[in-house]
Every structure is written in C-alpha cells, then in structure tokens.
C-alpha cells in the first residue's frame, strides 16, 4: 500500500459533506484520499431534533455514527475542531493537533445562532447548537428547577424556534412537570417568509397548547432570571432556549476568503469559493452570489450531488457544473404530539399524516447514512483514507488481524523462545532476559531502566496513534515505578510522496512528544522505515528514583497472601478495536476506549509509590489473566478473581455478547488454560436466550464479563497488589486522581490454600464479592 497523492478534506459533518462520504463508499476517486473533520464522533441530523426533543425518537435515532460510516466508506475521520484555514499554504488548523495539508477542501461547518453572548451568563441558557449536546444541556437546565412550573423562553420565532417551542412544551408535560413556554421573536410575526395560512395554523396551535407568543421585541440581555427586551418589557425564564437566526461560526472569520455582508463565505454557483478554486463551501456556511435562498437543510442536501460531481471534475481538470436551487420545497414543522404543520406550494395543513410523511423522509435520510449489517468495511488497513493499493486486491481476503496489542505475538510463542534462549546461554549474566517488562541496564549510572513497545496503528488518525503509542510504551516504566527520562521512536510509514510521508510522521511524533513531555521525558531520536502500513513504537528509558539501582520499585514477583488486587482502568479495548475493524463499533464505545487508552498510568504509579506498594504490572496484550498469571508464578501465590467486579468500557459487554473477539483472544485463553480454575456456579450459567440479548442485566452478568479476562488491552491500566488495610484508601486516591473505573477485583492467597494441583499457582475465577485471605 502507498499514500494517495491527493487529499480532499471535508471540514464539518453537515448534510452535503456526508453525501460525499456516502458516494466515496460506492466509488472513491482514484489516487485520492478523503478525510472528514468533525468536533464530535457523531453527527446530529437536524431534521429529527424536534421529534427527539418531544420524546418521539430516542436520542440515538437522530445520530449518525461517524466512526462506523467512515470505516465502511474507507474515509479517514479526524475528531477535532478545525479553527482556521490557511488558504495560501493549503492547510487546515486545529484546536489541538498539528495542521493538515489538502489539495481540495470543502467547508461545511454550518452556522450558529446570532448574538448568543447576550444571554451567555443566564443560569438556564441553552443555545440550540451544537445540536449534538443540546438535549443533554436542556435536560440539565430543566432538572435544576425543583418546584413549580418550568418557565421556558424560546428566543427565535423562525421554523426551528416554533418547532422547539412545541416540542419543549410536550417534553416537559410528558415528564410530569407543568410547562410555561413563551416564544419570543424580534419581528412583528413568527415564521417570517411562510405563507399566511401556514402562520395562522401555527399561531392557532400555539394558542391551544398554552404557548405564549411575544413579537416585536428583541432580547437584549438579562438580570438574573429576568430577560430584558428592547421594547422595555421583561420576561422571567428558568430556561432560555436560543434559536435565533444564523450567523457565521468563528472559524469562517479565520479564513482569508471573500465574505458576504452576512459574514458567510461567498461562492459561485459551482459551490466554489469566489476567492480560491481549491475550496468549496456548502450548506449554511456559504452564500451563493446572485442567489437569495434561505438557510435550510434541504438546500444542503440538494448540494451534495453537485459537490460530488465538482470534486471529481476539479481533480480531473474538467469544467464544473452549476447548482440551481429550487424555489420552493415541502416544509414540515413538528408539533411534538405526533402531528406536523405542512406547507407545499399553495397548500397548508396540519395533522398526523403530515408527521408520518416527515417521519418517512427523515428515516430514509438516516438509513442512507447507516451501513447495513451485510456491508463490509472498505479496508481493514490502518488509515484507510490515506492508502491506495499498489495492485488490485485478490479474491482471497486474509483473516482480519487486530492491531494495537491485539496484534501481538502470543504469550506461548514468547515464553517458548525465552526458555530456549535461557537454556542455550546458561552462563549469561543475571541481567540476561529479565522477567519484568522494564529491564535494568547493567552498569548504568544515569538512566538505568529501559522498555520497548511497538504496534501497527489501529486508528485512522496518526496523531492519536502517536499519543497512544507513547503512553503505552511509558506504561511499562510506570508499572515498574520508574521515572521516564527519554525515548527513541520507531516508525514504519506507508510509501508515498515526501509531503504526505512528512505530514504523517510529523503527526505521529507531535502526538508522541505531547505525551512524553507530560511525563517529563525527551524524545532523543529514532528510526523510520517504509512498509505496508503505519506502525509506531518507542524504546523508553528511565531512572529508579529513591530505590536501589539493582532492583525495580515495583515487580511482578512481590505479591503476598492477604493482599487485595486493584485494577486502575476498565477493560475492553481489544474487543472494541476488533469490532471497529469489522465496522461494528459504535462511536460512543470507540470514543470511550480511546479516552481510556489516552489516560496515562503516571498518576496511578505515583499513588502506588507513596502507598508503599511493591507488586505491580500493567495489563496489555496478554489480557488481564495472562498478566495476572505472570505475577502469580513469579510471586508463587494464587489469586481469587471476582469476575463480577471487573470494570468494563462502555459497549464492551455488548460486543462480547455479539460474538466479537480480538484475534489474540484464543491464544491468550490457550496460554493460561492449565492455570485457571473457574467457579462451577459460573460455568453452570446457561447461555442467553435470543429474547434476552438486549437485557441490561444480561450484559452486566459475570458470565458475559468472563471473556474480557482474555481480551488484549492496549494502553491498559495498572494491576496492583495492595495490603488489605490500605486498599480502600488507595482506591479513593485513584478515583480522586481521575481513575474513575478503578476497582478491587480480587485477592491473593497462599498456593497451598484450596484445591490446587500440588500447590501450583493458579487463578481462581469466582462470582462472589469476598475471598479468603
């Protein structure tokens, strides 16, 4: 594989840009990559927001899972906020990560409500955008009101404001509270631009629902809960939903391109920027010269096919085609109670049949952006959007191989080779092939400890890959109580142009340096090579501070009977990353897994040192039980593991229930099967019936969680042996430091206690919450 020579950046996950992702799924442009940039891992379909607000849809019904969609389409996804575009250098700049080059960019970041700063300090202020978080923010504001009616002011009397007023009233009433809703608009009448008959229907419905309408006065500020209106009146509101007209987001103001009086970017009827041929602007972000059209989602949807044609034409040097907006379209306003107000040409009406039509239209739109279960991802390669095949693929597709720590060689292979090497070199120094993951350097007077880790990238994002790879490599030092000092990078890059390889390497190392700097370590050098896919690793060096130079502060060999076992981070990265390779991971669970991998073990290591803990390891590729068994064997103890206490990343249990397994799962299980004794009551649990698949209790059952002990973890947590009298205190300190999933998962016993095979070390898997000491 090699890097594509041309890159298209889609800035924003609006309707038009998502059409490009769908078309890419069907027929990608040759020798080009496509990258979608979004501040959220899910896009919210505005057409279903009113129905969701009214409780007619589940919040997930209006969400487009960008991780899944882009995975199936073979498109790179960058979850970050784009803050500016450097037109001269053809680079997009981000809130956190390094800038990114493009050949063609399409800007579709939408709009924001006007003059939000006027009410920003109101305690119940809820701007309708970003829509992805609007419902959560609204519910939080409503829940703050503990008694009496819920007084809501909806500011903005356009189509969106009228729908929100209807649906907020219904939501509050449905929750058992009394709504007192007022719709406020600066104009003399609501629904500016609609036909009189439609306005009359809406006003009558608002009156019947007890929703007050106040027109002719602009909201200028507030005094506590009292809104001040420019006509001298005031309005008391516990909650203010801000749904005013559109204004340009801050990002559009950071682009040196021609703008209209409204502040939006001017474009030709080809959707191409008036000031730059390499930039297209769509949806609410654009103002088409000589075309006075509303900012409505229907226009953004209709622009999609034109943009797709023009991207192809731009890259092939052909003449672009013109977008001709329709002059009228069907307008459907949800009333929140299973009806809708309709306007089409001369017709206006209200009724349940209009809502059913709206529901069919919206459901069809969502269906187009949700890959079906029968579809397969475009590629299982890392960074699929940046790679193109050297030759046409064969019909014999290899079995999916997980990346990250799920791509490690099995423990059995490693142990077999280490045994042979030790037998071949019996007279080697005692430092030869040390048993801990961090090795002490013989005769060293400075940095006296070293570890190494390396894996193929499992995310499309090189910057995140660099961050996680650095944190993961440093984890071996933290698990040994060693302070990192320096690191050397190892990076394999797909072949490609100097510009594209340089950018990928820069993103990887920039992410790594961020995490190394946080650990007070320095990147001192490295080595790069070309290969089939991106792979990243680090050799990390450190000091055994406040400890003898000939031993590590923490060791796998220091478990003692009577200690409690604490796991600092939740499990499940392996199964979630495996699901992602198959295009079946949900954005929320994948985002939770990424957040978990980005959580450093640095603070947990410091807490362990100050608590005089000496037994520790980190949980990575061999899974919880594999690494726990290493501790048992080196410490010559047995442990009792409470599988019901294991913390799981959100969504991991469901993927396990769906039959997803990491490709290292079977090897991890085989490597420990002779040393694991599972409680008979746990093994006796029946397999779930089909009717139970969605049961919350089933997902949380020990039977479902049992598989996670073999799941390979990337950048997993620390496993600590803690004296029983200190365990609760250590757990509380970990929680205060941000390890919210830290849990006591078992205890250590003597090898001779219980039915073991000749006193050999074993791991007993139990379902009870207490164990022998």
């Amino acid at each position: 594989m090699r890097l594509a020579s041309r890159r298209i950046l889609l800035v924003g996950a609006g309707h038009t840009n998502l059409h490009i992702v769908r078309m890419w799924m069907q027929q990608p442009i040759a020798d080009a990559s496509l990258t979608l940039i979004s501040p959220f891992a899910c896009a919210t379909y505005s057409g279903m927001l009113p129905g969701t607000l009214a409780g007619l849809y589940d919040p997930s019904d209006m969400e487009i899972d960008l991780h899944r969609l882009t995975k199936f389409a073979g498109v790179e996804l960058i979850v970050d906020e784009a803050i500016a575009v450097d037109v001269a250098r053809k680079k997009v700049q981000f809130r956190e990560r390094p800038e990114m080059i493009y050949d063609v960019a399409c800007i579709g970041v939408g709009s924001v409500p006007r003059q939000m700063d006027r009410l920003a300090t109101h305690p119940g202020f809820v701007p309708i955008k970003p829509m992805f978080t609007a419902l959560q923010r609204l519910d939080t504001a409503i829940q703050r009101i503990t008694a009496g009616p819920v007084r809501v002011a909806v500011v903005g009397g356009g189509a969106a404001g009228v729908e929100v007023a209807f649906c907020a009233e219904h939501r509050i009433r449905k929750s058992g509270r009394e709504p007192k809703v007022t719709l406020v608009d600066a104009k003399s009448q609501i629904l500016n631009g609609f036909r009189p008959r439609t306005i009359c229907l809406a006003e009558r419905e608002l009156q019947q629902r007890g929703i007050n309408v106040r027109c002719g006065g602009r909201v200028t500020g507030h005094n506590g809960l009292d809104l001040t209106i420019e006509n001298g009146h005031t309005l008391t509101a516990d909650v203010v939903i801000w749904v005013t007209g559109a204004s340009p987001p801050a990002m559009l103001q950071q682009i040196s391109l021609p703008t209209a009086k409204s502040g939006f970017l001017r474009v030709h009827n080809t959707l191409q920027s008036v000031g730059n041929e390499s930039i297209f602007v769509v949806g609410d972000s654009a103002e088409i010269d000589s075309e006075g059209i509303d900012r409505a989602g229907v226009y953004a949807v209709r622009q999609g096919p034109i943009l797709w044609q023009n991207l192809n034409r731009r890259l092939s040097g052909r003449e672009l085609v013109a977008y001709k907006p329709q002059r009228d379209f069907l307008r459907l306003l949800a009333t929140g109670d299973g009806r809708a107000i309709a306007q089409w040409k001369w017709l206006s009406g209200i009724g349940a049949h209009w809502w059913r039509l709206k529901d069919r239209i919206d459901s069809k739109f969502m269906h187009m952006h949700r890959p079906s279960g029968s579809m397969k991802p475009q590629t299982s390669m890392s960074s699929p959007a940046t790679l193109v095949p050297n030759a046409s693929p064969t019909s014999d597709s290899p079995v999916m191989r997980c990346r990250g720590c799920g791509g490690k060689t099995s423990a059995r292979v490693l142990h077999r080779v280490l045994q042979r090497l030790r037998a071949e070199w019996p007279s080697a120094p005692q430092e030869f092939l040390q048993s801990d993951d961090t090795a002490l350097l013989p005769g060293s007077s400075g940095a006296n400890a070293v570890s190494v880790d390396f894996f193929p990238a499992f995310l499309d994002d090189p910057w995140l890959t660099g961050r996680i790879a650095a944190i993961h490599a440093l984890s071996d030092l933290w698990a040994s109580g060693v302070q990192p000092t320096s690191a050397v990078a190892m990076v394999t890059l797909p072949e490609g142009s100097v510009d594209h390889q340089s950018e990928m390497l820069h993103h990887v190392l920039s992410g790594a340096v961020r995490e190394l700097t946080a650990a007070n370590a320095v990147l001192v050098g490295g080595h790069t090579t070309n290969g089939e896919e991106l792979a990243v690793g680090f050799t990390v060096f450190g000091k055994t501070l406040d400890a003898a130079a000939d031993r590590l502060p923490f060791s796998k060999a220091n478990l003692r009977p009577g200690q409690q076992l604490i796991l600092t981070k939740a499990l499940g990265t392996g199964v979630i990353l495996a699901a992602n390779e198959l295009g079946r991971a949900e954005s929320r669970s994948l985002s939770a897994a990424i957040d978990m991998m980005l959580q450093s073990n640095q603070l947990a290591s410091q807490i362990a040192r100050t608590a005089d803990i000496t037994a520790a390891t980190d949980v990575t590729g061999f899974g919880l039980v594999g690494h726990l068994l290493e501790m048992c064997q080196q410490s010559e103890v047995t442990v009792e593991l409470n599988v019901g206490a294991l913390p799981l990343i959100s969504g991991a249990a469901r993927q396990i229930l769906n039959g997803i397994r990491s490709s290292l799962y079977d090897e991890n299980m085989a490597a420990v099967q002779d040393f694991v004794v599972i409680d008979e009551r746990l093994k006796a649990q029946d397999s779930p019936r089909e009717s139970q698949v969605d049961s919350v209790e089933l997902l949380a059952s020990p039977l479902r969680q049992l598989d996670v002990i073999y799941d390979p973890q990337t950048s997993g947590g620390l496993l600590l042996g803690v004296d029983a009298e200190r365990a609760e205190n250590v757990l509380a300190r970990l929680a205060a430091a941000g390890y919210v999933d830290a849990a006591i998962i078992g205890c250590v016993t003597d090898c001779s206690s219980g039915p073991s095979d000749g006193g050999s070390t074993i791991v007993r898997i139990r379902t009870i919450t207490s164990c022998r000491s």
Side-chain angles (χ1 to χ4, degrees):
M1 305 292 283
R2 62 175 289 111
L3 295 170
S5 63
R6 301 173 296 177
R7 172 184 276 162
I8 304 169
L9 291 187
L10 303 177
V11 186
H15 302 336
T16 316
N17 283 350
L18 289 182
H19 179 85
I20 305 306
V21 175
R22 288 198 304 110
M23 296 306 296
W24 197 272
M25 189 185 307
Q26 300 173 28
Q27 185 60 55
I29 299 173
D31 194 23
S33 68
L34 183 66
T35 300
L36 176 66
I37 300 166
S38 169
F40 302 106
C42 287
T44 303
Y45 175 44
S46 57
M48 294 181 79
L49 177 63
T52 307
L53 176 58
L56 301 175
Y57 298 119
D58 186 82
S60 62
D61 292 337
M62 69 171 179
E63 294 173 0
I64 298 171
D65 190 319
L66 297 182
H67 277 298
R68 291 199 70 218
L69 179 63
T70 54
K71 186 71 176 179
F72 276 89
V75 172
E76 181 183 21
L77 174 65
I78 300 296
V79 181
D80 199 353
E81 182 183 1
I83 59 173
V85 177
D86 188 328
V87 176
R89 297 168 58 234
K90 300 182 78 169
K91 293 189 175 184
V92 171
Q93 298 168 352
F94 294 90
R95 179 71 61 191
E96 289 195 84
R97 70 189 61 234
E99 57 193 12
M100 182 174 290
I101 60 174
Y102 65 85
D103 294 279
V104 179
C106 180
I107 299 171
V109 294
S111 61
V112 295
R114 283 197 298 262
Q115 301 170 329
M116 288 194 298
D117 56 323
R118 295 184 175 184
L119 269 291
T121 57
H122 188 286
F125 182 59
V126 182
I128 200 65
K129 293 186 178 180
M131 284 186 287
F132 182 66
T133 61
L135 284 179
Q136 179 183 356
R137 288 183 283 112
L138 177 59
D139 284 341
T140 299
I142 292 173
Q143 290 165 7
R144 187 177 49 82
I145 307 159
T146 57
V150 181
R151 299 169 296 184
V152 177
V154 179
V155 181
V162 170
E163 284 190 296
V164 167
F166 281 133
C167 296
E169 186 271 343
H170 186 80
R171 185 181 190 86
I172 296 168
R173 191 176 301 281
K174 190 176 179 181
S175 70
R177 305 290 299 276
E178 179 189 353
K180 189 175 181 181
V181 180
T182 302
L183 179 62
V184 183
D185 193 72
K187 296 183 175 61
S188 60
Q189 193 174 44
I190 62 170
L191 293 177
N192 182 53
F194 278 72
R195 293 184 174 83
R197 168 65 176 161
T198 309
I199 297 173
C200 182
L201 287 173
E203 289 178 335
R204 186 172 64 190
E205 182 66 20
L206 288 164
Q207 183 179 17
Q208 290 176 350
R209 297 272 287 275
I211 299 173
N212 187 29
V213 178
R214 297 180 64 167
C215 292
R218 190 180 306 277
V219 175
T220 58
H222 75 98
N223 181 16
L225 296 180
D226 294 333
L227 307 187
T228 56
I229 303 174
E230 62 184 359
N231 57 16
H233 296 140
T234 61
L235 174 64
T236 303
D238 303 300
V239 179
V240 181
I241 308 177
W242 200 259
V243 202
T244 56
S247 65
M251 179 205 169
L252 297 186
Q253 302 170 27
Q254 303 302 316
I255 305 175
S256 56
L257 290 172
T259 60
K261 290 182 180 179
S262 61
F264 292 99
L265 299 179
R266 290 174 53 205
V267 297
H268 300 295
N269 59 8
T270 59
L271 306 179
Q272 202 171 36
S273 167
V274 168
N276 191 286
E277 293 183 348
S278 297
I279 293 182
F280 293 84
V281 191
V282 294
D284 282 2
S285 300
E287 188 147 323
I288 304 174
D289 281 1
S290 74
E291 294 284 359
I293 60 174
D294 296 334
R295 285 187 163 76
V298 65
Y299 294 114
V301 172
R302 298 290 178 88
Q303 288 172 2
I306 301 300
L307 177 62
W308 176 244
Q309 288 188 61
N310 285 344
L311 287 174
N312 280 271
R313 288 171 176 267
R314 168 68 183 167
L315 291 177
S316 60
R318 293 179 290 159
E319 183 179 355
L320 306 188
V321 297
Y323 163 65
K324 298 178 181 179
Q326 68 271 40
R327 292 305 168 190
D328 199 3
F329 57 90
L330 175 63
R331 300 171 188 260
L332 295 166
L333 307 179
T335 59
D337 57 356
R339 297 177 300 146
I341 298 171
Q343 176 180 292
W344 169 240
K345 295 185 182 300
W346 51 267
L347 173 68
S348 296
I350 184 172
H353 56 290
W354 292 116
W355 167 254
R356 290 192 294 270
L357 176 60
K358 177 175 171 56
D359 177 57
R360 285 198 298 271
I361 293 170
D362 291 338
S363 298
K364 179 181 178 181
F365 179 86
M366 294 300 293
H367 179 74
M368 291 191 299
H369 295 87
R370 288 179 171 159
S372 67
S374 61
M375 297 174 63
K376 295 182 179 179
Q378 289 291 315
T379 176
S380 62
M381 293 292 293
S382 172
S383 299
T386 61
L387 297 171
V388 294
N390 290 322
S392 59
T394 64
S395 58
D396 298 325
S397 299
V399 176
M400 182 205 72
R401 182 69 187 175
C402 291
R403 291 168 174 77
C405 269
K408 289 178 67 170
T409 303
S410 77
R412 291 193 297 176
V413 171
L414 179 61
H415 293 162
R416 186 176 299 177
V417 171
L418 292 178
Q419 286 177 344
R420 291 183 64 182
L421 286 172
R422 289 179 178 126
E424 287 176 9
W425 301 92
S427 60
Q430 67 176 19
E431 296 88 358
F432 180 64
L433 298 179
Q434 299 170 38
S435 57
D436 278 293
D437 296 324
T438 298
L440 288 168
L441 297 172
S444 175
S445 58
N448 65 335
V450 63
S451 186
V452 62
D453 222 306
F454 186 84
F455 52 63
F458 51 86
L459 296 173
D460 299 339
D461 187 336
W463 185 71
L464 279 182
T465 298
R467 290 183 63 190
I468 293 171
I471 292 171
H472 181 76
L474 290 168
S475 183
D476 282 338
L477 299 185
W478 298 129
S480 302
V482 171
Q483 170 61 48
T485 58
S486 57
V488 177
M490 301 164 288
V491 182
T492 298
L493 296 170
E495 294 187 3
S497 70
V498 171
D499 285 346
H500 287 86
Q501 279 196 320
S502 297
E503 182 180 76
M504 177 174 279
L505 181 60
H506 176 234
H507 280 224
V508 168
L509 297 182
S510 175
V513 169
R514 171 184 171 133
E515 301 305 333
L516 291 169
T517 300
N520 295 314
V522 178
L523 180 65
V524 296
H527 178 73
T528 57
T529 186
N530 289 346
E532 286 294 304
E533 60 182 341
L534 177 64
V536 183
F538 295 90
T539 301
V540 289
F541 301 88
K543 291 181 180 180
T544 53
L545 301 178
D546 303 324
D550 61 347
R551 64 180 175 83
L552 294 168
F554 305 156
S555 173
K556 297 176 185 176
N558 287 341
L559 282 180
R560 297 189 303 271
Q563 288 184 326
Q564 301 270 12
L565 292 169
I566 291 181
L567 179 64
T568 63
K569 292 165 67 172
L571 302 169
T573 58
V575 67
I576 291 173
L577 293 179
N580 184 53
E581 288 289 326
L582 298 170
R584 296 172 64 180
E586 298 176 348
S587 279
R588 278 186 169 80
S589 63
L590 184 57
S591 296
I594 291 171
D595 289 343
M596 191 68 65
M597 290 184 284
L598 288 173
Q599 185 177 32
S600 166
N601 286 322
Q602 180 175 4
L603 292 178
S605 178
Q606 293 171 355
I607 290 170
R609 288 184 61 198
T610 58
D612 295 326
I613 292 170
T614 59
T617 190
D618 60 338
V619 179
T620 55
F622 299 151
L624 171 65
V625 72
H627 292 286
L628 183 54
L629 182 59
E630 290 179 328
M631 296 185 78
C632 289
Q633 291 174 330
Q634 293 182 38
S635 303
E636 298 183 347
V637 295
T638 286
V639 301
E640 294 192 351
L641 187 66
N642 176 16
V643 68
L646 297 179
L648 267 65
I649 299 171
S650 173
R654 186 171 297 280
Q655 296 296 358
I656 291 171
L657 190 63
N658 290 337
I660 303 295
R661 302 289 184 274
S662 168
S663 51
L664 194 57
Y665 171 91
D666 289 337
E667 274 296 337
N668 282 351
M669 179 185 287
V672 302
Q673 61 183 352
D674 294 336
F675 304 95
V676 173
V677 177
I678 300 174
D679 189 284
E680 290 299 324
R681 287 168 295 180
L682 182 60
K683 291 195 294 184
Q685 292 189 29
D686 293 331
S687 296
R689 298 186 299 272
E690 186 174 350
S691 60
Q692 293 177 305
V693 167
D694 290 326
S695 167
V696 174
E697 292 79 12
L698 177 63
L699 292 176
S701 73
L703 179 63
R704 292 299 96 206
Q705 296 190 18
L706 180 60
D707 279 357
V708 83
I709 66 174
Y710 309 109
D711 190 53
Q713 304 303 293
T714 300
S715 189
L718 297 187
L719 185 59
L720 307 172
V722 186
D723 292 343
E725 64 272 14
R726 298 182 181 177
E728 291 296 340
N729 177 263
V730 170
L731 197 64
R733 292 177 62 191
L734 287 167
Y739 300 94
V740 295
D741 295 303
I744 297 173
I745 62 169
C747 61
V748 185
T749 67
D750 191 282
C751 283
S752 61
S753 64
S756 61
D757 184 10
S760 61
T761 57
I762 60 173
V763 178
R764 293 194 184 93
I765 311 298
R766 303 172 67 87
T767 60
I768 57 177
T769 58
S770 61
C771 34
R772 292 188 304 266
S773 60

